[in-house]
Amino acid sequence: MSTETPAWMADIDSAALTALGAIEAAATLATLREAEVGALGRKGNVTALMKRIGKLDKSERKAFGAAAGGLRGKVTRAVSARREAIVQAAIAAELADTTFDETLPGLDGAPGHVHPLSRVQQELEDVFISMGFSVLDYPEVESEFDNFEALNIPGWHPARDMQDTFWLEGGHLLRTHTSAGQVRAMHQFKPPFRAVFPGKVYRYESTDASHDHTFHQLEGLMIGRHVSVGHLLDSMRTLLSAIFKRDVQVRLRPGYFPFVEPGFELDISCQVCDQKGCSVCKQSGWVELLPCGLVHPNVLRAGGLDPDEWQGWAFGLGLSRLVMMRYGVNDIRLLMGGDARFVEGFHPGT
Ligand code: FA5
């Protein structure tokens, strides 16, 4: 076995000298990157050595491969070590800079908070949970059956005109009211039961200060053997005093909805103008907020319940309007308008 130094060793030494010298001399991350590319890049001098391996005579290939591969590993480690040294030196220089005052206050973060709609919804959910109600979540994309037919509103019924909506393919639609969950709940739970289901609803209508095309409602439904209007009104009174924490004037009047009998409209005195008359209450001093009534026998039947055995009451709270009344918001379109300046006006505790 020959102990002579092979001729190619000079090439390995020369490549090492160039590559390691450039790495050692690099003072910034940019020049280090140049040195790295000069050695290990596609056209780098260490890469050129690696490409030679395949062209060598079989007898030399193993030793040359080991030497070139060893150099590549050494260069790679040298680049990492130099990079770390450059970064540490930069940190040390920054810390040594006496013009940096670490006692100055940091940048003021902007903490988020819940939207007033979510806040009032959560408060209402807590009130109803404390009265033994379940909180349910139903789809916004509904069937025509659940949104209309099951609620005693067949296709020919004029009440359909009051709630036109956005129709989807396959007879589906964006629900026009949370009442669409009533029959779903009847199928889902064994009576007696009580539940609220809040959510977003959609209507194809022009907007004004108190009407939006996308708004929030909260439905209440109670099914039992002996259900009375008295209990319904008491629940609504509890709801309003929990939100307003003071007496607000309300009025109850008969109201027609095909899915309740008898039906009522509960209006609230306009909290935006204090009943002086404004665009929200359309100069009337009153705002429609909480329609309700006893569940119609046809709806109980659609829910698989025998009306001779079971009764129910339901209400459909205009949650968006309740938020307006609570905070004195004079245009409903501000609630879902996506303007952060509006939402920032509401801070926790208000
Ligand atoms: C209904 O939606 C019935 N489902 C309510 C109901 C439930 C009655 C259970 C009986 C039993 P109405 O279309 O009136 O009813 O809407 C209910 C409430 O939602 C209204 O009182 C009002 O506060 C609110 N509301 C209605 N339309 C809009 C709108 N375009 N923008 C904002 N709020 C609205």
Side-chain angles (χ1 to χ4, degrees), residues 91-306:
I91 293 172
E94 207 162 290
L95 290 176
D97 179 359
T98 50
T99 58
F100 174 74
D101 183 355
E102 66 276 15
T103 63
L104 285 173
L107 291 176
D108 194 11
H113 54 85
V114 290
H115 191 283
L117 265 165
S118 312
R119 188 185 170 82
V120 171
Q121 182 180 317
Q122 281 162 14
E123 285 180 27
L124 285 172
E125 287 176 9
D126 288 346
V127 170
F128 280 99
I129 287 170
S130 76
M131 295 195 289
F133 283 70
S134 306
V135 178
L136 310 177
D137 189 18
Y138 286 130
E140 289 174 21
V141 173
E142 262 297 1
S143 65
E144 184 177 354
F145 177 80
D146 280 312
N147 195 83
F148 290 125
E149 271 148 33
L151 293 172
N152 208 22
I153 317 176
W156 52 264
H157 203 290
R160 288 241 180 158
D161 293 344
M162 281 150 40
Q163 295 193 3
D164 199 4
T165 186
F166 301 90
W167 289 87
L168 309 170
E169 281 166 12
H172 284 80
L173 47 82
L174 293 182
R175 68 179 175 191
T176 57
H177 51 177
T178 44
S179 300
Q182 284 191 14
V183 165
R184 280 179 177 275
M186 289 175 204
H187 285 293
Q188 192 177 348
F189 297 98
K190 240 177 94 163
F193 70 87
R194 51 185 84 178
V196 288
F197 20 110
K200 219 186 280 167
V201 300
Y202 304 84
R203 291 194 194 173
Y204 182 63
E205 63 183 4
S206 41
T207 67
D208 60 29
S210 56
H211 293 81
D212 211 343
H213 48 73
T214 304
F215 58 100
H216 288 71
Q217 290 187 336
L218 181 137
E219 193 86 1
L221 178 66
M222 177 162 173
I223 300 289
R225 286 185 199 280
H226 306 288
V227 160
S228 71
V229 171
H231 187 252
L232 165 64
L233 297 182
D234 192 55
S235 299
M236 299 203 308
R237 213 172 290 131
T238 309
L239 176 169
L240 292 174
S241 54
I243 293 304
F244 289 102
K245 298 183 178 75
R246 61 187 151 88
D247 270 346
V248 287
Q249 235 183 310
V250 293
R251 72 176 184 192
L252 193 69
R253 57 195 170 89
Y256 173 70
F257 300 90
F259 38 96
V260 285
E261 182 57 43
F264 308 97
E265 285 274 12
L266 185 139
D267 304 332
I268 182 171
S269 59
C270 184
Q271 305 292 300
V272 173
C273 64
D274 210 11
Q275 290 200 297
K276 289 187 189 71
C278 67
S279 55
V280 173
C281 61
K282 301 211 168 48
Q283 316 303 330
S284 73
W286 295 98
V287 174
E288 280 181 18
L289 186 72
L290 238 171
C292 56
L294 296 186
V295 180
H296 194 285
N298 285 351
V299 180
L300 291 169
R301 280 189 202 101
L305 302 176
D306 179 355

Side-chain angles (χ1 to χ4, degrees), residues 37-57:
V37 172
L40 303 173
R42 214 156 37 90
K43 294 183 182 156
N45 57 354
V46 177
T47 307
L49 291 175
M50 299 300 293
K51 284 182 185 163
R52 250 166 76 183
I53 299 173
K55 294 182 195 134
L56 288 175
D57 188 76

